[in-house]
Amino acid sequence: TKDMLNKDKNLKLYYSISEVAQMLGVNESLLRYWEDEFPQQLKPKRAGRGVRQYNAEDIEALKLIYHLVKERGMTLQGARQRLKDNREATLRNFEAVERLKTIREELVAMRDALNAFTYNEAEALRQNLEASQEQEGGAPE
């Protein structure tokens, strides 16, 4: 099942550059570039033939860089400075934004479900009214 796959994925210790690029929706070349630009934050383990292996900490650092550069529109220099000077506050802010995104997704799903439910109920009520009017001998004048 899907839940079992997610649990197995959480147990995985290392991810390839292609898996991480897919998670973030970016090119592998961007991850290699960020590794050069953020040497303090990004140090993926190298396996045989220099193949990068990203652990959970590397992925969290990449998500934080992605947030600062892609979502907040910071320059690489600005993002580097932010992570150097105020990493903890930046991380707390990022985690809060991520939680809010999750809550928003849940609320949108609830709204959509409620809209569908309300529409179906209204349609059923309309059909019931039409049926009862037909039984009474037509529409009232």
Side-chain angles (χ1 to χ4, degrees), residues 15-16 44 49 58 60 65 76 79 104 116 127:
Y15 296 85
S16 70
R49 300 188 322 270
D58 297 322
E60 284 308 306
I65 292 166
L76 295 178
R104 182 182 189 281
Q127 289 172 359

Side-chain angles (χ1 to χ4, degrees), residues 104-118:
R104 182 182 189 281
E105 287 170 12
E106 290 171 4
L107 289 172
V108 166
M110 285 179 192
R111 180 199 65 199
D112 293 346
L114 186 59
N115 285 344
F117 174 78
T118 303

Side-chain angles (χ1 to χ4, degrees), residues 33-44 65 80:
Y33 177 65
W34 281 354
E35 190 181 327
D36 291 338
E37 293 294 318
F38 295 89
Q40 297 298 312
Q41 289 78 24
L42 296 175
K43 296 175 191 156
I65 292 166
R80 255 194 313 272

